[in-house]
Amino acid sequence: MRLLSALSLVAPLVVVVGCSPAAPPAPTTPPAAAAQVKANLNQVMRGILFPNSNIIFDAQDTDPGAPPAPAAAGASPYAGTYGGWEAVENASMALAEAANLIALPGRVCNNNKPVPLDDPVYQKGLQALRDVAQLSYETAKAKKFDAMLDVADKVTQACSTCHDVFRDRVVDGKPIGMADRCTKG
């Protein structure tokens, strides 16, 4: 009798559990979107690298931690919500991320020639940019105003690695034109 009683209690549970919907499948992570190249190298340089390098260059002469002069406050990269040393930190990280952007396959120069991604000089310049971006970030994080002169010099050297070979060459006493950029001379 007890067995029959126990079975009469368990049987409805088995039916309920058996009819319950299965646990929902674990959510799947959507595949990462492929990187899309939208701008040419010149546009990335002018839109990201140039303005952010200028913040680092300015930090060699102007202490980002000092309050800006009232007359210049509106134009100071160090004024505002993300100003001061944080502006230098952010500029440094923008340079680091820009190194990733200019290393994307499919990017072209302003003259529609492919960026020389496989060239050892270009790779050396990318690594120099990444290294100096990290150095600049660490220097800004530590608020080492006296060290920014050395950082700015290293930014110039990193940029020159590629510019001297692919952009600022002189041929027959004349600077190369746009059509000859992104190629070695």
Side-chain angles (χ1 to χ4, degrees), residues 4 12 28 33 35 50 61 70 130 143 164 176:
L4 191 53
T28 57
F50 183 77
D61 296 322
R130 289 181 175 112
K143 298 174 177 52
D164 289 352
I176 63 169

Side-chain angles (χ1 to χ4, degrees), residues 25-87:
T28 57
T29 304
Q36 297 180 2
V37 175
K38 299 289 186 179
N40 67 41
L41 182 63
N42 202 31
Q43 290 167 321
V44 174
M45 291 287 176
R46 290 179 180 173
I48 300 172
L49 286 146
F50 183 77
N52 287 292
S53 293
N54 281 342
I55 291 171
I56 293 167
F57 292 142
D58 188 58
Q60 68 184 324
D61 296 322
T62 305
D63 183 351
S76 173
Y78 313 118
T81 305
Y82 305 108
W85 281 105
E86 186 176 358

Side-chain angles (χ1 to χ4, degrees), residues 1-182:
M1 178 83 167
R2 283 187 169 170
L3 181 60
L4 191 53
S5 264
L7 284 176
S8 66
L9 290 173
V10 172
L13 287 173
V14 169
V15 170
V16 169
V17 170
C19 294
S20 297
T28 57
T29 304
Q36 297 180 2
V37 175
K38 299 289 186 179
N40 67 41
L41 182 63
N42 202 31
Q43 290 167 321
V44 174
M45 291 287 176
R46 290 179 180 173
I48 300 172
L49 286 146
F50 183 77
N52 287 292
S53 293
N54 281 342
I55 291 171
I56 293 167
F57 292 142
D58 188 58
Q60 68 184 324
D61 296 322
T62 305
D63 183 351
S76 173
Y78 313 118
T81 305
Y82 305 108
W85 281 105
E86 186 176 358
V88 183
E89 292 172 31
N90 293 338
S92 302
M93 288 297 93
L95 295 184
E97 291 294 342
N100 296 330
L101 291 174
I102 64 175
L104 288 175
R107 184 148 338 266
V108 297
C109 295
N110 200 34
N111 56 12
N112 286 326
K113 290 182 180 176
V115 170
L117 293 177
D118 295 329
D119 189 283
V121 172
Y122 193 81
Q123 287 299 316
K124 180 181 175 184
L126 282 174
Q127 190 57 52
L129 179 58
R130 289 181 175 112
D131 292 346
V132 75
Q134 187 63 38
L135 174 65
S136 180
Y137 177 75
E138 291 166 4
T139 303
K141 197 86 171 142
K143 298 174 177 52
K144 294 182 179 178
F145 176 60
D146 293 343
M148 288 307 296
L149 180 63
D150 182 54
V151 169
D153 183 54
K154 285 183 169 74
V155 169
T156 300
Q157 291 173 23
C159 295
S160 293
T161 303
C162 291
H163 283 211
D164 289 352
V165 175
F166 299 108
R167 180 180 175 264
D168 298 331
R169 288 184 294 117
V170 175
V171 176
D172 296 329
K174 295 180 184 176
I176 63 169
M178 189 65 68
D180 292 322
R181 288 188 178 178
C182 288

